[in-house]
Amino acid sequence: MKTFKKMWSFLKPYRVKIVTAMGLLVLAAVLTAAAPYIEGLMTSQLQRDVQDMNAGVAGAHIQIDVILKIIAILFVIYLVNTSSRIALQYLISDSIQAAIYDMRMAVKEKMTTLPIRYFDQHSAGDLMSRMSTDMEAISGALQQSFSQVMMSLLNIVFAVIMMFILDTKMALVGITIIPLSIILYRFITKRTQKLFNLQQESLGQLNSVIQEKFTGFNEIKLYNYQENAIEDFSVANNTLCENGFKANFTAGLISPAVSMITYIVIAIVVFMGVINVMEGVIVVGALQAFIRYIWQVNQPLVQITNLSGTIQSSIAAMNRIFDYLEEPDDVYDVVEPTDITNYKGAVSFKDVNFGYNEVPVIQDFSVDIKPGEMVAIVGPTGAGKTTIINLLMRFYDVNSGAILIDGVDIRNIRRDDLRSLFGMVLQDTWLFSGMIKENIAYGKQGASDEEIINAAKRTNVHHFITTLPDGYDMVLNEESSNISNGEKQLITIARALLSDPSILILDEATSSVDTRLDAMIQEAMATLMKGRTSFVIAHRLSTIRNADKILVMRDGNIIEMGNHDDLMDQNGFYADLYNSQFEDYED
């Protein structure tokens, strides 16, 4: 019930259309219930005329005029009924698709408010499954079942009323279909709902496997792990197949069981009806109409049970969507944020402690960085280098301690204002499907072609772009696989240059670039970083020899700090790292 209330919140803005549709639904149900009664009158009229003719009553004949009037009434009923259903379907379809549009927008907007840790803890394939497969399951179920279920319920109500009008005793027997079907339905659905939840979870896991294998396709081919990839997919596929079979087979048992109950009830009602006809309690036309009403109870019940699988699958999908939408948002900004109007660029870490899922990563981290300094952060994998940048950008908040910019705690600055100070180039490049100039212009809204070209020249990517068939208008494909990794990295660096950031962050920014281009980029970066506070994370230590300050990290702590020459003179951990790379280079 809670799930349907949450779904109603998306349908509520379209309540006028839905109420109108419900009115048409009631009209169609009333006309559907009236048709068998009128058909029964026609049968009874024919029966009386035939009996009078057989009895030799003077002037007895088939009253064609009366029969034609009844047929005309039935024609009008069928016509209005059909027209009502068409209008009903239009209004329901329009309302449901609009509500699903709003739900998709809510899912998309939620992405901007969720903390980074949520995406770190959930696979991309599972998230994509929620936003695509689950959303389509909800759309299809509502489109297919909403009007059918409502119409079925109304048909049952009006059919039961008409049965009691015709004969109370037979009606009491006829309506036993309803409680017996409800008991059966609840007995089965208690077991199938868990299975449908497992089915949707298995679908999310399958999508995760597919996304993972497509992303690592080249590596899978390189290391001849095709059979392993097929096996992983087969396991996920078999799990989905098994859960889907159990859920749908069990749910499919409801329909034949309800039909069996209906046949038994009809047999009992026919026996009672024949006796009543022989005793003159009811006429044959009334018995005919009564049996039609039993089927009008049975058919909606069968329709509802046939939709049981779809409904339960959509409920499972709704639960997954609403679980996502109800995830706690990122920590809200302070009510009265501090504005940095005269930015200078001093950054301080004061006794910072942080951990992922209560596992400590950064411990008592403290350092003061002067405006305009180039700070390099080095250390082995897992030392906490990237975590420091995540904390500085407020992708995560510190567990204790504080990070200050120009003496202001970054938690007192609006996230948007804080992040507008930064330009970032990551090891993992991100480009979208579109023209190269659009990807570069992503760094600055409304950038002119001249500014784009200037940024490309300063990062030494202009010449490469001009050699392409369409130059800056060349369209990158969805995976940006029509250019090399190094070229993708150069474009992201040009994008960062164009943004003209106050603080520059380079996280292994040149790891995908060859030595010749690395030297060219270092020269461009030196120009860009002049007068700006810069953070550089690098494993290639030769690229940070000119850093004003080098922070050597291990196990979340700063173990050494100074410039290159000072650290080499100390002959400590940094010197060992640097010398080992130099020896590798000589070898």
Side-chain angles (χ1 to χ4, degrees):
M1 186 59 68
K2 291 181 179 179
T3 302
F4 291 112
K5 286 182 179 179
K6 294 172 185 176
M7 190 65 227
W8 173 246
S9 66
F10 286 95
L11 290 168
K12 195 172 181 180
Y14 312 100
R15 56 182 175 271
V16 174
K17 291 182 179 179
I18 294 175
V19 169
T20 304
M22 291 300 100
L24 293 171
L25 199 64
V26 172
L27 175 62
V30 170
L31 294 175
T32 301
Y37 184 80
I38 296 174
E39 290 171 0
L41 292 178
M42 183 170 63
T43 302
S44 298
Q45 181 64 47
L46 286 170
Q47 180 189 16
R48 285 194 296 269
D49 290 344
V50 170
Q51 287 176 344
D52 290 344
M53 291 172 63
N54 291 336
V57 177
H61 65 284
I62 301 296
Q63 301 183 51
I64 300 298
D65 56 335
V66 176
I67 301 301
L68 290 177
K69 286 180 181 179
I70 295 175
I71 292 175
I73 293 172
L74 286 173
F75 177 77
V76 172
I77 288 175
Y78 295 146
L79 181 62
V80 175
N81 194 349
T82 302
S83 301
S84 299
R85 289 172 181 268
I86 293 173
L88 161 70
Q89 193 62 37
Y90 173 82
L91 292 172
I92 290 295
S93 298
D94 185 54
S95 301
I96 289 174
Q97 292 307 313
I100 294 298
Y101 171 85
D102 293 342
M103 184 178 287
R104 289 195 186 100
M105 291 302 299
V107 168
K108 176 60 179 174
E109 291 170 1
K110 185 68 176 181
M111 290 179 63
T112 63
T113 62
L114 284 173
I116 298 295
R117 63 167 52 88
Y118 179 83
F119 298 99
D120 290 342
Q121 296 169 356
H122 293 80
S123 67
D126 181 65
L127 292 173
M128 291 174 63
S129 178
R130 293 180 193 234
M131 298 176 188
S132 56
T133 308
D134 288 344
M135 196 68 72
E136 286 306 307
I138 297 171
S139 175
L142 287 175
Q143 189 69 55
Q144 179 183 358
S145 61
F146 183 79
S147 58
Q148 287 191 33
V149 169
M150 296 303 297
M151 176 62 81
S152 297
L153 293 175
L154 288 172
N155 283 342
I156 291 172
V157 171
F158 288 117
V160 169
I161 292 173
M162 294 304 296
M163 281 196 290
F164 274 99
I165 291 174
L166 291 173
D167 189 278
T168 303
K169 291 182 180 179
M170 289 196 302
L172 291 173
V173 175
I175 63 172
T176 56
I177 299 173
I178 299 173
L180 291 175
S181 298
I182 292 174
I183 293 170
L184 180 68
Y185 180 82
R186 295 190 64 179
F187 175 78
I188 294 178
T189 52
K190 280 184 179 180
R191 290 153 179 77
T192 56
Q193 189 58 61
K194 295 179 181 179
L195 296 173
F196 278 106
N197 288 335
L198 287 174
Q199 178 185 351
Q200 292 303 118
E201 292 174 5
S202 301
L203 183 58
Q205 293 171 0
L206 180 67
N207 286 332
S208 295
V209 171
I210 293 171
Q211 189 267 342
E212 178 183 279
K213 302 310 176 187
F214 273 127
T215 303
F217 181 76
N218 291 341
E219 286 75 11
I220 291 172
K221 297 283 285 186
L222 173 65
Y223 294 108
N224 294 318
Y225 270 86
Q226 295 94 321
E227 292 185 4
N228 299 74
I230 293 172
E231 179 63 25
D232 291 342
F233 179 83
S234 178
V235 170
N237 193 20
N238 285 335
T239 302
L240 176 60
C241 180
E242 182 178 347
N243 290 333
F245 168 76
K246 290 179 180 178
N248 288 282
F249 174 75
T250 308
L253 295 176
I254 301 175
S255 180
V258 171
S259 295
M260 182 185 69
I261 293 172
T262 303
Y263 291 137
I264 294 172
V265 170
I266 287 177
I268 297 172
V269 167
V270 167
F271 177 77
M272 294 174 63
V274 169
I275 293 175
N276 287 338
V277 169
M278 293 174 63
E279 293 177 351
V281 176
I282 60 173
V283 293
V284 173
L287 177 60
Q288 172 195 339
F290 197 95
I291 295 173
R292 283 283 306 276
Y293 286 127
I294 292 179
W295 280 113
Q296 280 195 13
V297 172
N298 167 260
Q299 288 175 355
L301 288 173
V302 170
Q303 286 179 346
I304 293 174
T305 54
N306 284 339
L307 291 171
S308 175
T310 302
I311 293 171
Q312 291 181 80
S313 179
S314 69
I315 291 174
M318 287 181 194
N319 288 331
R320 282 166 54 84
I321 292 291
F322 291 132
D323 286 345
Y324 169 84
L325 292 176
E326 292 170 359
E327 280 289 329
D329 289 337
D330 208 344
V331 179
Y332 290 102
D333 290 321
V334 293
V335 178
E336 297 181 359
T338 303
D339 292 329
I340 299 181
T341 53
N342 297 317
Y343 170 78
K344 296 178 180 178
V347 179
S348 298
F349 293 81
K350 302 293 186 183
D351 301 321
V352 170
N353 289 277
F354 175 76
Y356 298 101
N357 298 324
E358 299 182 356
V359 178
V361 176
I362 304 297
Q363 302 176 36
D364 299 323
F365 184 91
S366 296
V367 64
D368 292 319
I369 300 163
K370 297 177 182 178
E373 280 191 329
M374 173 186 173
V375 179
I377 306 176
V378 301
T381 300
K385 303 184 296 295
T386 300
T387 300
I388 291 296
I389 301 303
N390 287 338
L391 294 175
L392 182 61
M393 298 281 291
R394 283 199 74 190
F395 291 150
Y396 294 88
D397 276 331
V398 299
N399 294 343
S400 64
I403 301 174
L404 312 176
I405 293 181
D406 289 345
V408 179
D409 192 324
I410 61 174
R411 288 170 294 189
N412 294 327
I413 306 172
R414 289 182 66 251
R415 278 185 172 79
D416 291 346
D417 294 339
L418 172 68
R419 291 168 186 167
S420 66
L421 299 174
F422 293 92
M424 179 180 282
V425 180
L426 302 176
Q427 178 179 1
D428 297 325
T429 58
W430 178 78
L431 298 174
F432 56 86
S433 179
M435 292 185 289
I436 288 178
K437 68 179 182 182
E438 292 174 339
N439 276 274
I440 297 176
Y442 199 81
K444 180 181 178 181
Q445 293 185 3
S448 65
D449 289 347
E450 182 180 353
E451 290 175 312
I452 293 171
I453 292 172
N454 182 50
K457 287 180 177 179
R458 293 176 65 189
T459 52
N460 301 298
V461 71
H462 173 73
H463 174 71
F464 154 69
I465 295 175
T466 55
T467 61
L468 298 173
D470 297 319
Y472 284 87
D473 293 330
M474 176 180 171
V475 176
L476 301 179
N477 59 28
E478 191 169 329
E479 298 294 332
S480 304
S481 58
N482 48 348
I483 58 176
S484 70
N485 288 334
E487 290 157 352
K488 287 191 286 187
Q489 191 66 279
L490 286 169
I491 291 174
T492 62
I493 295 172
R495 182 167 63 197
L497 274 167
L498 183 62
S499 68
D500 193 21
S502 301
I503 301 177
L504 185 65
I505 296 174
L506 305 175
D507 188 351
E508 297 290 352
T510 61
S511 62
S512 299
V513 181
D514 60 41
T515 304
R516 182 180 64 86
L517 285 178
D518 183 35
M520 298 168 65
I521 291 172
Q522 293 303 323
E523 181 180 353
M525 289 301 175
T527 302
L528 173 64
M529 291 187 290
K530 188 175 182 180
R532 294 183 174 90
T533 305
S534 306
F535 293 85
V536 180
I537 298 176
H539 284 298
R540 193 186 298 175
L541 301 185
S542 60
T543 63
I544 47 100
R545 292 184 57 174
N546 296 326
D548 299 306
K549 187 175 292 182
I550 299 174
L551 308 180
V552 184
M553 296 187 62
R554 184 168 62 183
D555 299 329
N557 295 306
I558 298 176
I559 58 173
E560 295 176 6
M561 182 168 59
N563 60 33
H564 173 76
D565 293 333
D566 293 338
L567 293 175
M568 291 300 293
D569 290 340
Q570 292 178 21
N571 198 28
F573 187 74
Y574 175 82
D576 290 341
L577 285 176
Y578 185 85
N579 290 329
S580 65
Q581 291 191 4
F582 183 76
E583 289 172 2
D584 292 340
Y585 176 77
E586 288 294 323
D587 291 341

